[in-house]
Amino acid sequence: MAERLAGGGKPPAGSDAWDLERDGLYLALAELRGRGRNVHSARLQAWCVTGYDDIAAILRNDEDFSARDHKPRSSTELPADVRDMLSSWSGASASLGEMDPPEHTRVRSVINAGFTPRALQAAEADVRATAVRLLRPLTGAPEFDVVTDFALPYALTVILRFLGIPDEHHQACLRWSDYKVQLMVGRDHTPEQLREYARGLRAFGEFARELTAQRLSAPRGDLISTMLHESPHGHRLSPDEVASLIPTLIITGHTTLAQALAITVRHQLRSPGGWAALVDGTVAVADLVEEGLRLDCPVVGMYRTTVREATVAGRVLPAGSRVLLLYGAGNHDPGRYPDPGRCLPGRWPTAAHLAFGRGTHYCVGAALARAELRIALEEMAACFPALSAAPEASPAYRPTFPLRALTALRVRP
């Protein structure tokens, strides 16, 4: 029988003794799971769901759970002028991740038209050429940083070219993307820093609107043009809607991909014989991609809000309750993955992890991301058969929960 939450949704006293951002993330997630399938965090003001099956069920239930408030809330008090800038920088339209059906269905169908198997196959040669071009100068270096010297520029270049954005805008897009992350989940910023970030996002929005106007009058073979000019199933997007989607596609299209790549490389280098197994083909690259995403996914969790009274992991929550779906905990659920802390590529016949979500909001760029990760690992193994990790005291992650982001990964060719 489900436990009904008494007192109009107030959580049990003393239920926030756990810190989601401490160094041993997966030990902390296991500790939380031991306290229950649905544990309240006063600091996050959300119910934390830890079980694989519970998370997957919620992600498939659009009637009881809304994605409108899916983003983490800033822990920093924003000045009034910053709030004003943030309220309008991307236009009036919501991002894809914030939409519920049927609005989400209409917009998603148009975006999907740009991610067809034919479009992805056509892009693969350019993705591989990008990887080779960025890796070649690193072959003669005594040491380099996988995160900043390869993973980030690689992931950003791929998504911007897929969108049709010229190379000269790459650095600006990288900077604006970081501003968005800092405003969303960063902390300890001064008011002037926050204003700088907000002004940068306003420039990001203006840039997206200019690109949209260009592609509206002169379409090309890119994703922006597809979103403006295609109408699958009779669905069309307005120029304002397309302009609001561009920053989200840029940010989500490279930040998590770069981290997934860096984290997977780090794990292989730190595992005895791990890199050699990749180089000699003992480990299938496609299997390593899936297991790497499960083992340490770059998005630790995502929020949902109950539309009406709903049962969440055995507890009845009232309408308006905020729920944090901890993908990282679900991907380490021992009921789903025996010995979840071990990296065992190919242990499952299908990609069952939660790194790309489930249901309506399953990652629109999942197929492209898989191809990018596979190609990057293949080319890194070919360029650096003897790659080794430089000494490190401990991995350093940015304080950007629920995004998992290595600050650096030093390696020796």
Side-chain angles (χ1 to χ4, degrees):
M1 181 179 296
E3 175 188 353
R4 184 172 294 277
L5 187 62
K10 294 180 181 178
S15 60
D16 198 32
W18 181 73
D19 184 359
L20 284 163
E21 290 180 339
R22 69 195 204 192
D23 290 339
L25 173 66
Y26 289 96
L27 291 175
L29 289 173
E31 176 188 318
L32 183 68
R33 188 185 303 108
R35 294 171 50 203
R37 293 158 54 202
N38 184 11
V39 179
H40 192 268
S41 167
R43 183 170 64 86
L44 296 173
Q45 299 181 6
W47 291 91
C48 301
V49 183
T50 62
Y52 179 100
D53 290 337
D54 294 321
I55 294 169
I58 291 171
L59 288 171
R60 292 190 179 101
N61 185 350
D62 297 317
E63 294 184 359
D64 294 330
F65 298 91
S66 172
R68 287 287 178 187
D69 192 19
H70 79 288
K71 297 176 183 177
R73 295 170 179 169
S74 175
S75 61
T76 303
E77 182 66 28
L78 301 179
D81 57 335
V82 171
R83 292 198 302 272
D84 289 343
M85 284 187 278
L86 293 182
S87 68
S88 60
W89 74 274
S90 62
S93 299
S95 69
L96 184 66
E98 296 171 311
M99 297 177 184
D100 293 324
E103 180 186 23
H104 180 275
T105 304
R106 175 182 66 86
V107 175
R108 175 70 178 250
S109 69
V110 179
I111 298 176
N112 283 344
F115 284 95
T116 62
R118 177 180 295 181
L120 295 174
Q121 184 176 10
E124 183 156 330
D126 187 58
V127 174
R128 192 173 296 277
T130 297
V132 171
R133 177 176 59 82
L134 291 169
L135 289 170
R136 188 177 295 119
L138 304 176
T139 56
E143 188 173 300
F144 66 90
D145 178 14
V146 172
V147 175
T148 58
D149 293 334
F150 178 57
L152 276 172
Y154 167 71
L156 182 64
T157 299
V158 169
I159 189 59
L160 291 188
R161 290 191 173 180
F162 201 76
L163 284 162
I165 298 174
D167 289 354
E168 60 262 30
H169 300 295
H170 285 201
Q171 286 303 310
C173 288
L174 185 66
R175 183 174 64 255
W176 292 331
S177 297
D178 185 62
Y179 289 170
K180 181 64 169 68
V181 171
Q182 293 303 322
L183 282 165
M184 184 170 59
V185 292
R187 55 186 54 82
D188 299 327
H189 299 306
T190 66
E192 191 48 48
Q193 285 176 315
L194 294 171
R195 292 185 179 95
E196 178 188 358
Y197 300 157
R199 286 191 293 267
L201 287 191
R202 190 164 56 186
F204 203 0
E206 292 171 356
F207 171 71
R209 287 185 284 275
E210 290 172 3
L211 279 173
T212 300
Q214 293 170 8
R215 295 299 186 277
L216 191 61
S217 60
R220 303 179 185 177
D222 54 41
L223 181 56
I224 295 175
S225 300
T226 297
M227 292 190 294
L228 283 166
H229 297 280
E230 294 292 326
S231 54
H233 311 294
H235 297 313
R236 291 194 67 89
L237 298 182
S238 69
D240 286 344
E241 287 176 317
V242 172
S244 71
L245 289 168
I246 290 172
T248 297
L249 289 168
I250 292 172
I251 295 168
T252 59
H254 86 275
T255 54
T256 54
L257 187 286
Q259 287 304 316
L261 175 58
I263 289 169
T264 301
V265 170
R266 182 182 185 276
H267 186 273
Q268 287 305 105
L269 292 176
R270 301 279 166 184
S271 301
W275 191 255
L278 174 62
V279 172
D280 66 21
T282 302
V283 172
V285 178
D287 289 340
L288 179 59
V289 166
E290 301 304 328
E291 183 67 342
L293 288 166
R294 181 204 67 82
L295 189 70
D296 198 355
C297 60
V299 179
V300 179
M302 193 71 71
Y303 291 91
R304 291 291 185 269
T305 305
T306 55
V307 175
R308 55 179 68 88
E309 185 180 89
T311 300
V312 178
R315 190 190 299 274
V316 179
L317 302 183
S321 298
R322 191 163 161 85
V323 178
L324 174 58
L325 308 178
L326 285 166
Y327 298 169
N331 283 338
H332 281 243
D333 186 338
R336 177 79 185 195
Y337 301 100
D339 200 6
R342 291 185 63 197
C343 182
L344 298 172
R347 72 159 81 187
W348 303 105
T350 58
H353 58 74
L354 296 168
F356 291 125
R358 276 288 187 281
T360 299
H361 286 275
Y362 186 79
C363 177
V364 68
L368 177 60
R370 286 187 167 106
E372 288 180 75
L373 290 168
R374 172 179 54 81
I375 289 169
L377 290 169
E378 288 171 351
E379 294 302 331
M380 287 190 72
C383 283
F384 309 114
L387 193 71
S388 62
E392 67 174 4
S394 62
Y397 292 90
R398 300 179 74 185
T400 53
F401 179 86
L403 304 180
R404 189 134 164 97
L406 276 170
T407 58
L409 176 61
R410 304 295 303 180
V411 296
R412 292 172 178 171

